[in-house]
Amino acid sequence: MFISKISRYLKEMEDKNTLRAAIIYMLVAYFFHAVQITFFKYGHFDIVPQSLFIRSISSLILIFLFQQQQNYYPKGKTQYLIKSQLLGAIGSSIYFFGLSFISLSEAAILFSTNSIWSQLIVSCMKREHITKSRLINSIICIVGIGLVSNPTLSTEDPFMHIIGCFSILLCSIVQSFSYITMKQIGSEVSATIVTSYFHIMIIISSSLWQQYIGRFEYFTGYWFYILGFAVFTLFGQMLQFRAQTMVTYDKICNYTYSQTLYVIIIDYVLFRKILSLNGFIGGCLILFGVFKQLSEDKKLRG
């Protein structure tokens, strides 16, 4: 009864103003994403594929409990579901591998570059020339990336810090391809279906990864952190995927930066960690370069 009322209200909101609904979904989704990566970081999981596998199994169980009557093979959409969510699963695996070696704030800032990559990828796909302004904006972001990924004196392992930063950056690029593909799925496909495909792809990829590692872990509070990780991931993904199938990604990509703000606050409140001077300057350059590009693209669209 309660769930049906919420669904009806959300449907009315989408019908009244699709873009506004998508923006609201993204803002709330990235708060949930900020909380879920905090559960992962605070849990100190050493075996990344094991935690991703259990998270996805838990999420699928929750989805199947409440959404049994769904068409999991929508006509003409299955190929886009597989392609986008396979890329998403690969990107997510790389992200959580890198998150083990850097702070939440650094990860959030580096991941925010996915908008600039999305714009460059779309330009290449349309065979458009990269303008001088776009090139300058990209260079600004690259300088910022260099500052954020530069290990400070307080870094315990400078090499693994660089590996962690590079992993988040690679994830940002891979998931940009995923986000671009998702609009082809269409809003008629339920968000629970898209989320289910993502977790199925995670189960496949993490199983292969786990075979390579060949060991397992367990510690006090393991299930608390895993369930928190799974539940907030599920809520975040359902809202995010719904928004990305409603409108083109360029209309909502700038709202992903809300996660950066959420994470910096959480990182300070829970871990008492603040960005180094290099990290702060680099983060400002990245956000400046991306927002400058988004503003210019918005003017071009009229």
Side-chain angles (χ1 to χ4, degrees):
M1 184 73 175
F2 178 69
I3 294 176
S4 63
K5 283 184 177 180
I6 293 178
S7 299
R8 195 160 49 246
Y9 172 76
L10 294 177
K11 185 69 171 65
E12 290 174 359
M13 181 175 68
E14 291 175 9
D15 292 339
K16 184 180 287 187
N17 192 324
T18 303
L19 180 58
R20 182 184 178 188
I23 291 170
I24 292 172
Y25 288 165
M26 290 294 283
L27 291 173
V28 178
Y30 276 96
F31 171 75
F32 287 143
H33 283 320
V35 176
Q36 61 112 341
I37 62 175
T38 302
F39 268 97
F40 177 87
K41 187 72 174 178
Y42 201 64
H44 300 292
F45 295 104
D46 289 326
I47 313 298
V48 176
Q50 177 187 331
S51 60
L52 295 180
F53 181 89
I54 296 175
R55 178 194 70 169
S56 291
I57 289 290
S58 304
S59 297
L60 284 176
I61 290 171
L62 290 172
I63 290 172
F64 292 149
L65 281 175
F66 296 100
Q67 296 285 340
Q68 301 98 337
Q69 303 299 321
Q70 291 282 352
N71 176 18
Y72 281 86
Y73 305 98
K75 186 177 180 181
K77 305 293 183 181
T78 306
Q79 59 176 322
Y80 301 120
L81 282 165
I82 294 173
K83 180 182 177 181
S84 64
Q85 299 318 304
L86 177 59
L87 288 169
I90 293 171
S92 182
S93 299
I94 297 170
Y95 180 92
F96 286 106
F97 170 77
L99 187 59
S100 302
F101 307 112
I102 62 176
S103 71
L104 289 174
S105 300
E106 289 171 324
I109 289 171
L110 290 170
F111 184 74
S112 69
T113 59
N114 65 22
S115 293
I116 204 77
W117 308 130
S118 297
Q119 300 288 341
L120 290 171
I121 291 166
V122 169
S123 294
C124 292
M125 290 173 65
K126 292 182 177 179
R127 297 185 178 180
E128 296 176 350
H129 292 294
I130 297 176
T131 63
K132 181 180 178 181
S133 176
R134 190 184 295 277
L135 181 61
I136 291 172
N137 294 336
S138 299
I139 291 172
I140 292 172
C141 288
I142 290 169
V143 172
I145 289 165
L147 288 172
V148 172
S149 60
N150 182 36
T152 61
L153 294 175
S154 60
T155 303
E156 294 180 4
D157 190 336
F159 177 73
M160 293 312 297
H161 182 271
I162 294 173
I163 293 296
C165 290
F166 177 76
S167 298
I168 303 298
L169 196 58
L170 181 59
C171 161
S172 177
I173 296 171
V174 171
Q175 292 209 333
S176 294
F177 282 99
S178 173
Y179 296 161
I180 291 168
T181 307
M182 284 188 65
K183 182 61 181 73
Q184 296 173 292
I185 296 172
S187 59
E188 65 273 12
V189 178
S190 169
T192 55
I193 300 298
V194 182
T195 308
S196 297
Y197 270 80
F198 172 81
H199 287 295
I200 290 169
M201 295 303 168
I202 282 286
I203 288 171
I204 294 170
S205 59
S206 61
S207 297
L208 295 172
W209 188 2
Q210 184 67 31
Q211 291 296 316
Y212 174 76
I213 293 176
R215 59 190 178 90
F216 300 91
E217 69 173 341
Y218 182 77
F219 51 83
T220 303
Y222 184 86
W223 290 108
F224 168 75
Y225 292 113
I226 276 290
L227 289 176
F229 186 31
V231 169
F232 284 101
T233 297
L234 180 61
F235 290 158
Q237 285 175 335
M238 287 178 65
L239 290 172
Q240 177 191 341
F241 293 163
R242 181 60 182 169
Q244 290 173 340
T245 55
M246 287 166 59
V247 297
T248 54
Y249 186 57
D250 62 301
K251 293 179 180 177
I252 52 175
C253 59
N254 52 334
Y255 296 98
T256 61
Y257 306 114
S258 58
Q259 183 182 4
T260 304
L261 178 61
Y262 299 145
V263 164
I264 288 174
I265 294 171
I266 291 172
D267 213 12
Y268 176 74
V269 172
L270 292 183
F271 301 104
R272 287 295 185 266
K273 289 185 178 180
I274 58 174
L275 286 169
S276 64
L277 180 60
N278 279 354
F280 178 77
I281 295 173
C284 289
L285 285 174
I286 291 171
L287 294 178
F288 173 75
V290 173
F291 274 111
K292 184 171 176 290
Q293 185 59 58
L294 289 170
S295 176
E296 290 169 3
D297 286 342
K298 188 175 182 180
K299 288 179 181 178
L300 288 174
R301 291 195 301 267

